């Protein structure tokens, strides 16, 4: 299953309602699980991003659908990276001409 690293920033709305964020996190975990994936880790961060999530989902399309649905609620903006584990990295490098 593909792995995703998602970087979040709270929007003004999200910051104004910060005390509701644990409930929003629970709903996000449930949405990912309902799509056949799993939120592996969630971190509150300092710096350019407010939180980092590591998740798995069945496909890029499934994860994009989840993230768009969550973002449409207006409390966060996100940037998602597809992560390749070491074995896939080695296969990719090994396939280079």
């Amino acid at each position: 299953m593909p792995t995703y690293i998602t970087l979040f920033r709270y929007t003004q709305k999200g910051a104004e309602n910060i005390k509701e964020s644990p409930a929003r996190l629970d709903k996000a975990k449930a949405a990912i699980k309902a799509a056949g994936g799993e939120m592996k880790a969630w971190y509150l961060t300092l710096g350019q991003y407010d939180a980092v999530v590591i998740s798995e989902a069945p496909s890029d399309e499934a994860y994009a659908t989840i993230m768009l649905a969550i973002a449409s609620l207006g409390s966060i903006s996100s940037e998602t990276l597809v992560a390749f584990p070491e074995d896939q990295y080695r296969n990719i490098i090994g396939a280079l001409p």
Side-chain angles (χ1 to χ4, degrees):
M1 206 169 345
T3 300
Y4 304 92
I5 299 170
T6 305
L7 310 170
F8 290 100
R9 289 189 184 112
Y10 291 114
T11 62
Q12 183 64 37
K13 178 181 174 182
E16 289 171 358
N17 299 301
I18 198 68
K19 287 191 174 190
E20 297 171 10
S21 64
R24 292 193 303 261
L25 175 57
D26 292 340
K27 288 179 183 176
K29 286 180 179 181
I32 293 170
K33 186 174 184 177
E38 181 182 1
M39 185 181 292
K40 295 289 195 176
W42 184 94
Y43 300 94
L44 179 67
T45 57
L46 301 175
Q48 183 175 355
Y49 297 97
D50 299 313
V52 174
V53 170
I54 300 171
S55 301
E56 291 182 346
S59 66
D60 292 347
E61 293 82 4
Y63 198 69
T65 300
I66 295 162
M67 289 298 100
L68 289 170
I70 291 169
S72 74
L73 300 174
S75 294
I76 56 100
S77 63
S78 67
E79 180 178 343
T80 298
L81 311 166
V82 178
F84 298 94
E86 183 179 349
D87 62 332
Q88 286 181 315
Y89 153 77
R90 290 182 182 279
N91 288 339
I92 291 166
I93 299 303
L96 292 173

